[in-house]
């Protein structure tokens, strides 16, 4: 019976995030306006988690300043990679001269991936 409760709660939590995502998937105008704000909030949460939770935890376990160096190096590497991808994309658009929206077209894929991630997280947390 406990397994049924576990799977039921995981499905309910995952469905809540999908239900809130449906209006953004259906209305492109709403999605394009709100997506940048939501993306900014998620980046803020990620950075806050790293700098306010993970780094103090790392220092309590006798890690040194190399941990901070690797984290900053990772941020810089991902930033440069993103800029290179955008640069390549813009050059390709200039050569083909076709107009299209630069609104984040992978948002539905991100939402679906987040749903799968939440489902697996629920299983792991319940199993542990």
């Amino acid at each position: 019976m406990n397994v049924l409760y576990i799977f039921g709660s995981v499905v309910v939590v995952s469905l809540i995030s999908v239900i809130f995502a449906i209006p953004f998937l259906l209305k492109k105008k709403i999605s394009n306006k709100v997506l940048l704000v939501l993306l900014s909030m998620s980046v803020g949460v990620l950075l806050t988690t790293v700098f306010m939770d993970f780094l103090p935890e790392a220092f309590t376990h006798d890690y040194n300043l190399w941990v901070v160096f690797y984290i900053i190096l990772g941020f810089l590497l991902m930033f440069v990679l993103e800029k290179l991808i955008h640069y390549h994309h813009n050059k390709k658009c200039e050569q083909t001269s076709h107009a299209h929206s630069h609104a984040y077209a992978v948002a539905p894929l991100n939402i679906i991936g987040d749903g799968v991630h939440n489902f697996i997280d629920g299983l792991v947390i319940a199993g542990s």
Side-chain angles (χ1 to χ4, degrees):
M1 193 64 174
N2 287 339
V3 174
L4 185 62
Y5 288 138
I6 291 169
F7 281 111
S9 63
V10 167
V11 168
V12 167
V13 169
S14 296
L15 283 177
I16 288 172
S17 65
V18 170
I19 288 171
F20 282 111
I22 288 174
F24 298 112
L25 294 174
L26 296 178
K27 297 281 187 177
K28 292 294 180 183
K29 290 181 182 179
I30 294 173
S31 178
N32 291 341
K33 290 178 183 177
V34 176
L35 192 59
L36 187 60
V37 174
L38 293 176
L39 182 65
S40 300
M41 287 174 51
S42 66
V43 168
V45 168
L46 174 72
L47 291 175
T48 302
T49 303
V50 167
F51 288 111
M52 301 301 275
D53 188 35
F54 292 154
L55 282 180
E57 183 75 20
F59 285 120
T60 60
H61 291 291
D62 295 330
Y63 289 102
N64 54 20
L65 285 178
W66 284 104
V67 173
V68 177
F69 174 73
Y70 290 134
I71 290 173
I72 292 173
L73 184 69
F75 280 128
L76 289 174
L77 181 69
M78 290 298 120
F79 178 75
V80 169
L81 182 64
E82 180 184 8
K83 290 300 177 184
L84 286 174
I85 290 172
H86 283 294
Y87 175 77
H88 176 71
H89 177 73
N90 288 337
K91 286 294 184 186
K92 190 174 181 180
C93 287
E94 289 174 3
Q95 291 172 355
T96 59
S97 70
H98 66 358
H100 64 277
S101 172
H102 281 92
Y104 304 172
V106 294
L109 182 64
N110 188 6
I111 291 170
I112 292 169
D114 187 44
V116 171
H117 178 253
N118 288 341
F119 182 79
I120 293 172
D121 270 352
L123 290 177
V124 169
I125 290 169
S128 65

